[in-house]
Amino acid sequence: MAVVLRPLGLGDLLTGVPAIRAVRAAVPDHRLVLATTTALAPLAGLVDAVDEVLPARELEPLDWSGPPPELAVDLHGRGPASHVVVAGLRPARLLTFDSPGYPGPTWYADEHEVRRWCRLVSEGLGVAADPDALDLAVPPVPPPVTGAALVHPGAAFPGRRWPAERFAVVARSLTDAGHDVRITGGPAERDLARAVARGAGLGEEAVLAGTTSTLELAATVAAARVVVSGDTGVAHLATAYRRPSVVLFGPVSPVLWGPPLRAGERGPLHVVLWHGDGTGDPWGTELDPALARIGVDEVTAALDGLGAYR
């Protein structure tokens, strides 16, 4: 038995997929249990390396009733708070980043999130880890719409939310180009999505925010024509399903969280827009200045480069 800890947000789960696959490659005969949040359990089930999902809460002890696993891997953080969670399982072998009392590979703050966890597993378990192994299985549920241009205006914190009125202009341009535009988001983002739809001259039927399950949202992204979003989980879904995307970064550098360099039929598959220096606050309560510097014309030009207006 091998237990991997990753109870964070959607983007965190998806950027950890290559490392999870590397753990599977290192211990192919073990049953692999992924400890993640209940909300992410449906998506975790789409990772081919995972045999079982264990509900987990951030930095809280795991509800583990089985015998000590042969291996436990901390894909949560640099420790020691998260290291204690996996160490509490009393595994025969523990893999964590180095911190007092926990020897392991060195943590580098300027390392891309995907490569960081791949390196932990590669150095710790002596197995190759492919940072481009980000793909996710398509959910076994029908999407509410296929071939749509998805506009996702929400993000966890205001500092990472591009203004709704600018998203509305982009949505309007896509509609004028003949796209079926849908505004996505979670239940708490429904009012924001409605505001974007109204600003774009779209009806209530264009608002998917708060109406889709986690799997339905993933299926919708997998079937999308193009995705426009900020630095948030939906951007990582577009990466996982290799859908063309434009991603707007503000306080966080794309060097740390950006999509991989992939090519589509017309060129780059993902376009990143950023005017920052990496000093912004990702938990900020006001629009980050770097994100504010991204103009509508830049986004529509990026979409044009992806072939969205042809």
Side-chain angles (χ1 to χ4, degrees):
M1 186 79 72
V3 177
V4 176
L5 179 70
R6 190 72 172 170
L8 295 161
L10 173 57
D12 302 277
L13 171 65
L14 297 178
T15 54
V17 167
I20 295 169
R21 288 196 166 110
V23 173
R24 160 61 71 208
V27 288
D29 297 329
H30 288 46
R31 183 171 180 80
L32 194 149
V33 178
L34 176 62
T36 192
T37 65
T38 299
L40 292 178
L43 285 180
L46 301 177
V47 182
D48 53 10
V50 174
D51 296 309
E52 180 183 341
V53 178
L54 176 68
R57 295 169 298 278
E58 188 173 357
L59 301 181
E60 293 187 21
L62 296 173
D63 185 14
W64 179 263
S65 58
E70 289 84 1
L71 172 67
V73 181
D74 182 5
L75 293 188
H76 180 283
R78 62 187 301 175
S82 58
H83 296 356
V84 171
V85 176
V86 285
L89 302 177
R90 296 180 288 112
R93 187 176 183 186
L94 177 65
L95 176 58
T96 71
F97 274 113
D98 181 67
S99 69
Y102 296 94
T106 302
W107 172 283
Y108 300 119
D110 60 351
E111 192 168 21
H112 191 283
E113 184 73 1
V114 174
R115 294 185 178 278
R116 168 182 293 129
W117 301 111
C118 282
R119 182 175 58 82
L120 173 70
V121 177
S122 181
E123 291 184 11
L125 301 181
V127 65
D130 180 5
D132 197 39
L134 293 156
D135 301 86
L136 205 63
V138 175
V141 298
V145 61
T146 61
L150 303 183
V151 175
H152 189 89
F157 295 91
R160 286 185 272 152
R161 293 181 201 143
W162 202 48
E165 59 270 20
R166 299 189 201 178
F167 271 116
V169 175
V170 171
R172 179 75 260 172
S173 75
L174 288 166
T175 300
D176 290 345
H179 287 281
D180 178 7
V181 177
R182 303 300 175 104
I183 317 300
T184 57
E189 297 166 335
R190 189 158 176 78
D191 287 345
L192 172 61
R194 283 172 167 162
V196 171
R198 285 195 302 271
L202 300 173
E204 184 70 18
E205 71 281 355
V207 178
L208 294 183
T211 69
T212 57
S213 67
T214 302
L215 286 182
E216 287 171 335
L217 175 60
T220 303
V221 174
R225 168 63 183 85
V226 68
V227 178
V228 183
S229 79
D231 170 25
T232 190
V234 163
H236 296 286
L237 279 174
T239 294
Y241 290 118
R242 297 179 182 259
R243 304 316 303 147
S245 66
V246 177
V247 189
L248 287 61
F249 277 79
V252 178
S253 169
V255 172
L256 302 178
W257 283 89
L261 296 176
R262 286 173 165 172
E265 293 180 1
R266 297 182 176 88
L269 196 59
H270 311 293
V271 178
V272 170
L273 301 177
W274 189 56
H275 297 304
D277 58 8
T279 61
D281 180 6
W283 303 281
T285 57
E286 301 292 337
L287 174 65
D288 184 82
L291 186 57
R293 283 194 285 271
I294 298 175
V296 168
D297 289 348
E298 288 182 80
V299 178
T300 55
L303 285 166
D304 189 37
L306 292 173
Y309 299 118
R310 301 173 210 165

